[in-house]
Amino acid sequence: MKLSELTVGTEYAVVPSWTYSNRSARDVDTVRENDVVRATLLELTKYEYEPSNRKSDAGSFVKAQQGNRSVGVLVKATDSNGKDVYWTTRLADIIAPYAVLEPKWLQANSAEKERERKQKELQDIVYKHKKQVSAEVERSTGSIIQTSKELLGAGTYVSVDTEGYDLDYKGVVKLSITEFEALIEMAYAGKDN
């Protein structure tokens, strides 16, 4: 932002110099809430820009000399311990008033929570489906194998398993082509009688 656009005492979204930030963090349309710090502009006086230098005393910063190109303005934020932290920030690192960006972030957060809720709902449905299929496979495995051996002979190899993913997860019975053909012949023979 430009110096003429800033107002003393206003909270701004400021990209902190002590963290890595990409180009999108400095764009008002793409900046994310965790890219910035909520900082209050203390004064419009230009100070010597000291990257990554946070202090607990605002009076220890040096005002910039006339013609100095490495300048910043003094801002203050409250850290997670409730203590005020002061630093100088470049004008380019002041993105916009925090109050302008906050509603956009709240909307994005609620949309993200809704997406997460739907995803959790789907995961619950898939989990219940898989649990039901697994229970059916476990319940019927013995009887399927025994019935297959009674119909096709003691040497019949039949396996009961599961396959697929998510809602396509299902129980399957595997037998040889020869045994399957024998089952089909029995079915047709029974149909004719």
Side-chain angles (χ1 to χ4, degrees):
M1 293 184 73
K2 297 177 183 172
L3 194 61
S4 61
E5 298 172 332
L6 300 177
T7 307
V8 173
T10 302
E11 287 185 327
Y12 289 96
V14 177
V15 177
S17 61
W18 58 86
T19 61
Y20 170 79
S21 61
N22 55 24
R23 177 173 275 146
S24 66
R26 288 179 172 74
D27 183 350
V28 73
D29 295 322
T30 58
V31 65
R32 296 174 309 185
E33 187 174 11
N34 53 349
D35 288 336
V36 296
V37 173
R38 177 183 245 163
T40 305
L41 179 64
L42 296 180
E43 55 184 279
L44 295 174
T45 307
K46 292 181 181 178
Y47 285 85
E48 287 185 13
Y49 175 63
E50 302 175 29
S52 303
N53 191 3
R54 295 169 281 181
K55 300 179 181 180
S56 57
D57 178 25
S60 61
F61 290 97
V62 179
K63 291 187 180 180
Q65 298 292 323
Q66 188 69 25
N68 187 345
R69 294 187 61 164
S70 182
V71 296
V73 291
L74 189 60
V75 294
K76 169 188 87 163
T78 304
D79 67 12
S80 58
N81 297 323
K83 295 182 181 178
D84 287 340
V85 177
Y86 302 89
W87 74 96
T88 55
T89 186
R90 298 175 303 170
L91 295 176
D93 290 338
I94 301 175
I95 307 307
Y98 204 87
V100 170
L101 296 173
E102 192 170 30
K104 179 176 86 168
W105 293 329
L106 290 173
Q107 183 180 8
N109 286 343
S110 66
E112 176 66 17
K113 285 183 179 167
E114 178 62 18
R115 187 191 65 74
E116 287 173 0
R117 184 193 65 76
K118 286 181 179 179
Q119 186 174 0
K120 172 86 169 89
E121 202 174 87
L122 179 62
Q123 285 175 341
D124 289 346
I125 290 168
V126 167
Y127 175 76
K128 285 178 185 176
H129 174 72
K130 282 186 169 184
K131 191 173 179 181
Q132 180 184 3
V133 168
S134 295
E136 287 174 4
V137 166
E138 187 176 325
R139 178 189 53 77
S140 63
T141 298
S143 63
I144 289 174
I145 292 174
Q146 183 179 347
T147 303
S148 298
K149 289 187 184 229
E150 286 173 8
L151 288 173
L152 302 170
T156 302
Y157 176 76
V158 176
S159 68
V160 182
D161 206 352
T162 57
E163 69 180 25
Y165 298 97
D166 297 336
L167 295 176
D168 290 331
Y169 188 73
K170 59 187 173 251
V172 293
V173 176
K174 296 181 183 175
L175 64 157
S176 73
I177 292 175
T178 306
E179 292 160 341
F180 183 70
E181 287 173 340
L183 274 178
I184 290 174
E185 287 173 8
M186 286 179 194
Y188 277 124
K191 198 176 190 183
D192 292 338
N193 294 336

